[in-house]
Amino acid sequence: MKPVAVGAHARAPAAIRVKRFHGSMLMTTLKQRVLLFAVSFFLLNTAANAASLDLKLSYFRDAEKSYFTEGSTQTLQEFGRRLEAAYRTSLKPEIAPARLKRLNDKDLGALFDITDKVAFYSESGDVAKDMEGPFLEISNRRLAMKQRVTDFHYVCLLTRRFDAASTLVKKYPEAHLLHPPLIRKSVHFAKTERVFSIADGVRSVSIEKLSWKKGPRIIMLSSPTCNPSNQAISDIESDPSLKLLFEAHALLIHSSHDIAELPEIVAWKQKHPSLRNYIAYSSADWPQFKKWGTPTFYFIKDGKILSSFGGWKDPVSESKAALVRGMELIGLHLASAPARKAD
């Protein structure tokens, strides 16, 4: 029998050892490449997501800027609805908790601020609720909170999320936030033309459907912090005949945004007890009012708007003349000032 070399079965031939060596190198290189690809993909995807988010946020910034600087023909309500629609398709997915945790501090803050703007213009309670995610993440990271607490609270008031506003009041006493109003009663059947009716001397309101479509009506869009509005009321009240007609037929409606000015409205109401004033439940309830600048006067006959004008400026005689013309158009004349019209 031919002798067998010692270790012949223990050692593989050189050619086989070389193949194994190169295979091991190939496997190692392949693993490294896969790992490198995975890391690169993650970094690129993260960068792409960041760039994508930045582009999305830029859209909303640019939309707001162009609306106010380029003389858009859209009403503010239409602009708000457009922003909300864009938000739902592009930004809402970014609110997912897992995505929020991956954002850097700058992008997280920017996402919160843009969502705040969308909620502000759209008056959407759903968008306001979505703000809770970024707000909580910002709070957990202990980022700058003072202005964001104020902004979030304001949007909660605007979108009638009074329970959420109350929670913020209790959680951040140092912010001196306004307590939301107490709701005395509410109409559940009405979905349009709703207003907050203000109680005398207290910060409580009721939600009701406003009656305004019978006979001649003047609806004045006003604000307690608007100097021209206050000047208009002062000039009207100083004219006895004009005052009587105005008290009989005028309804003062404050913008839905003025719910955050409730103490000022209560104080204003106490100074002008003979005038009926309300806060719009939301601008969406009043699509017939295309302009919410204050003051704006709408002259209405049996529910149909016949004329309107905005502003109150010197000379006062011209503003009063415009008011008288509008009143005459709906059949109200200074020569015959009636008793106050029933609601």
Side-chain angles (χ1 to χ4, degrees):
M1 178 180 289
K2 186 175 180 179
V4 178
V6 178
H9 296 289
R11 297 179 64 192
I16 296 177
R17 292 202 307 272
V18 170
K19 288 181 181 179
R20 286 178 178 172
F21 173 73
H22 284 297
S24 175
M25 285 189 65
L26 181 63
M27 288 299 296
T28 301
T29 303
L30 182 60
K31 288 178 182 178
Q32 288 176 336
R33 287 179 178 176
V34 169
L35 180 61
L36 181 61
F37 175 79
V39 171
S40 299
F41 178 80
F42 173 78
L43 292 175
L44 288 171
N45 190 49
T46 301
N49 286 340
S52 174
L53 177 61
D54 189 55
L55 286 173
K56 292 176 183 178
L57 296 176
S58 294
Y59 166 82
F60 290 91
R61 295 190 192 99
D62 293 343
E64 181 186 36
K65 182 179 178 181
S66 63
Y67 178 79
F68 289 103
T69 60
E70 296 178 8
S72 173
T73 58
Q74 286 184 316
T75 66
L76 197 58
Q77 298 99 308
E78 291 168 341
F79 174 65
R81 287 195 294 270
R82 179 164 67 91
L83 281 189
E84 183 181 2
Y87 162 81
R88 291 186 182 283
T89 57
S90 64
L91 275 191
K92 187 174 174 64
E94 306 293 342
I95 304 295
R99 292 201 185 191
L100 291 175
K101 291 185 182 300
R102 291 199 296 265
L103 295 179
N104 60 43
D105 292 350
K106 180 181 177 182
D107 287 342
L108 177 63
L111 178 60
F112 174 86
D113 293 342
I114 292 298
T115 308
D116 173 64
K117 286 183 183 296
V118 175
F120 176 85
Y121 290 118
S122 67
E123 301 181 29
S124 167
D126 291 339
V127 178
K129 183 174 176 57
D130 287 346
M131 290 174 64
E132 292 176 357
F135 183 82
L136 181 60
E137 184 66 25
I138 288 171
S139 177
N140 290 340
R141 296 188 193 185
R142 301 183 183 279
L143 304 180
M145 288 292 292
K146 184 177 180 180
Q147 187 59 48
R148 290 185 174 117
V149 167
T150 301
D151 292 344
F152 191 24
H153 172 261
Y154 179 92
V155 162
C156 287
L157 290 179
L158 173 64
T159 58
R160 289 82 61 194
R161 301 190 69 245
F162 294 150
D163 289 344
S166 292
T167 299
L168 291 171
V169 170
K170 295 173 184 176
K171 188 173 182 179
Y172 300 96
E174 70 281 1
H176 305 291
L177 302 172
L178 176 70
H179 284 273
L182 301 173
I183 306 297
R184 296 198 315 271
K185 63 178 182 178
S186 175
V187 290
H188 299 288
F189 63 89
K191 297 298 181 182
T192 61
E193 300 170 1
R194 290 168 294 180
V195 292
F196 291 108
S197 179
I198 307 149
D200 293 318
V202 293
R203 281 205 318 233
S204 63
V205 300
S206 60
I207 302 171
E208 59 188 59
K209 184 178 176 71
L210 190 62
S211 175
W212 62 284
K213 292 185 176 179
K214 292 182 180 180
R217 284 289 191 188
I218 306 160
I219 288 185
M220 175 183 175
L221 305 183
S222 178
S223 172
T225 57
C226 169
N227 289 333
S229 292
N230 290 326
Q231 185 61 52
I233 293 299
S234 177
D235 292 335
I236 291 169
E237 290 184 327
S238 66
D239 185 318
S241 297
L242 201 54
K243 178 182 179 182
L244 284 174
L245 276 175
F246 205 75
E247 289 176 349
H249 298 278
L251 301 172
L252 277 67
I253 301 181
H254 305 293
S255 163
S256 52
H257 290 257
D258 282 336
I259 193 66
E261 309 288 344
L262 189 55
E264 288 81 359
I265 293 176
V266 170
W268 190 95
K269 184 175 175 64
Q270 291 173 336
K271 292 179 181 178
H272 308 276
S274 61
L275 295 175
R276 291 161 289 178
N277 64 327
Y278 308 89
I279 303 173
Y281 183 79
S282 75
S283 60
D285 273 46
W286 297 94
Q288 53 273 82
F289 301 146
K290 303 301 184 183
K291 301 175 183 177
W292 280 87
T294 57
T296 299
F297 298 85
Y298 287 92
F299 303 94
I300 302 163
K301 187 67 175 289
D302 295 324
K304 184 178 181 180
I305 298 174
L306 300 184
S307 179
S308 68
F309 80 92
W312 193 272
K313 53 191 175 183
D314 292 329
V316 172
S317 58
E318 291 187 5
S319 294
K320 289 176 71 172
L323 180 60
V324 170
R325 285 195 299 271
M327 295 168 84
E328 290 177 343
L329 193 61
I330 58 174
L332 300 178
H333 303 276
L334 293 183
S336 55
R340 176 170 172 152
K341 183 179 178 66
D343 288 328

